[in-house]
Amino acid sequence: MALRLLQHRAGDGTRRVILADGDVARVLEGVARTTDLAHRAIAAGTTLAVEARKCPAGPAIDLAAEFEAGHFLAPIDHEDPAHLALTGTGLTHLGSAEGRDKMHREAAAAAHQTDSMRMFLEGLEGGKPAGDGVGQQPEWFYKGDGSQLVGPGEPLDMPAFAQDGGEEPELAGIYLIGPDGTPFRLGFALANEFSDHVTERHNYLWLAHSKLRRAALGPELLIDAAPTDIRGTSRILRDGKVLWEKPFLTGEDNMSHSLANLEHHHFKYDLFRRAGDVHVHFFGTATLSFSDAVRTQVGDVFEIEAAPFTLPCRNPLARTRGDASVPLKVRVL
């Protein structure tokens, strides 16, 4: 089983980092944040795994029990949330063979391809360049800063004005920018890239609005090489019963873009290579309950699980208070 890092808050409020290796999980003494360990690895020219194993091992942890007790934080954060960026890419996954065939038939028959279809087909053709070449750039979006990041068990709040709160089961890449501006990939986390699909469906140019929402990470940061074929399950629970459930696929084998290509087209911008910043980058999905005409409601619980992660990404749906019909007033100074 893969190496994972988890951020934990003890009963007295003390923050700790846990290294899980197979079924054995122990506290790393002297480490309060994942970024602390990452800075050490960058300075020493080693890896997270090497630095973690250098740390004195503290007490053993029962991961399942601590998860159910709500003691895990998101596996990455930043002391200053303004220095953590949530971003992502879309139209990156192949989906099922039937879905691909249907898209190709519709594309071939259409007198005018939609921008979404053109981008999808361009990704199929050029999203995995040979060698070190630069491939086709993907759809890209911004979700917010670290204040929008939701940890295990915490509610995914949709704004009072939101028309929908829908799950997107994904893999997220976790990065720290080194002192010289080099992006370092720390690993991968299971994620729910939460979106407003009703708003997006109304007009594709409202995609940017639909993505300005919270996003959740599962508790584990996978620090080994990512499996190229990840198979999991996404489900919605309502009143403790399964309302909807469907398998999903991710990893490069199931994508039209390589991870390297997606990373290049994000970090090619200078503003995303500011030393000390953390980036959580969502790689996309092909599986949505919204596509199956499911309409979520407050109190529903999203649950996403996939090996080699051993704990799910689980969060309830909530709505922030407020009157969406009252316009926000700007004061003039």
Side-chain angles (χ1 to χ4, degrees):
M1 296 177 66
L3 287 177
R4 292 102 63 210
L5 291 175
L6 303 91
Q7 294 197 127
H8 179 269
R9 177 174 282 126
D12 62 0
T14 303
R15 287 181 59 119
R16 306 185 294 186
V17 173
I18 294 167
L19 174 66
D21 186 356
D23 295 328
V24 178
R26 291 191 175 277
V27 171
L28 300 180
E29 298 289 1
V31 184
R33 292 179 181 269
T34 301
T35 49
D36 295 343
L37 199 64
H39 283 298
R40 291 185 196 177
I42 292 171
T46 58
T47 66
L48 277 174
V50 169
E51 288 303 308
R53 286 183 168 130
K54 287 182 182 178
C55 297
I61 295 290
D62 184 332
L63 295 183
E66 292 298 297
F67 176 77
E68 295 301 335
H71 290 166
F72 286 118
L73 307 167
I76 191 72
D77 56 8
H78 196 289
E79 296 91 335
D80 180 356
H83 286 276
L84 188 153
L86 300 176
T87 58
T89 53
L91 300 172
T92 55
H93 281 62
L94 301 174
S96 67
E98 179 183 358
R100 291 202 305 276
D101 289 343
K102 182 175 183 290
M103 290 185 74
H104 281 296
R105 288 196 302 271
E106 291 177 350
H112 176 70
Q113 292 177 358
T114 65
D115 287 341
S116 294
M117 181 62 72
R118 288 175 56 205
M119 185 167 291
F120 175 79
L121 295 177
E122 287 172 358
L124 282 179
E125 181 178 351
K128 291 184 175 180
D132 295 327
V134 174
Q136 182 67 31
Q137 67 180 9
E139 174 192 70
W140 182 95
F141 54 83
Y142 175 71
K143 289 191 67 67
D145 63 17
S147 65
Q148 297 291 88
L149 183 61
V150 173
E154 296 178 351
L156 276 166
D157 296 316
M158 55 182 172
F161 56 79
Q163 299 184 61
D164 171 56
E167 87 297 334
E168 296 204 10
E170 303 192 14
L171 193 67
I174 311 300
Y175 305 86
L176 176 64
I177 310 302
D180 64 351
T182 299
F184 287 87
R185 187 204 296 152
L186 309 188
F188 300 91
L190 202 55
N192 185 345
E193 192 273 288
F194 183 65
S195 299
D196 185 336
H197 300 106
V198 172
T199 293
E200 179 186 351
R201 183 180 62 178
H202 176 80
N203 187 318
Y204 187 71
L205 294 180
W206 284 2
L207 173 75
H209 288 279
S210 75
K211 294 297 187 182
L212 286 172
R213 299 291 187 271
R214 294 188 180 277
L217 295 180
E220 298 166 293
L221 176 65
L222 182 69
I223 61 173
D224 285 353
T228 58
D229 181 17
I230 296 177
R231 297 167 182 259
T233 302
S234 178
R235 67 177 61 90
I236 299 174
L237 306 174
R238 181 171 293 171
D239 298 325
K241 299 179 181 179
V242 176
L243 172 71
W244 174 89
E245 183 176 79
K246 202 166 189 176
F248 73 94
L249 305 175
T250 189
E252 281 194 351
D253 289 353
N254 303 300
M255 297 172 65
S256 53
H257 288 261
S258 65
L259 295 182
N261 191 52
L262 299 180
E263 290 170 338
H264 164 77
H265 285 295
H266 177 66
F267 290 112
K268 67 185 181 184
Y269 296 99
D270 291 346
L271 77 160
F272 294 145
R273 301 196 306 274
R274 185 170 56 190
D277 281 7
V278 169
H279 290 253
V280 176
H281 194 65
F282 301 92
F283 291 123
T285 188
T287 305
L288 307 171
S289 65
F290 184 80
S291 299
D292 292 336
V294 173
R295 296 297 176 266
T296 60
Q297 62 186 40
V298 170
D300 288 350
V301 175
F302 302 114
E303 188 173 80
I304 301 165
E305 57 185 10
F309 300 96
T310 65
L311 300 173
C313 178
R314 182 192 297 159
N315 304 86
L317 175 63
R319 184 184 287 274
T320 57
R321 295 182 179 181
D323 186 348
S325 66
V326 179
L328 178 70
K329 297 292 185 179
V330 174
R331 295 178 58 186
V332 178
L333 290 179

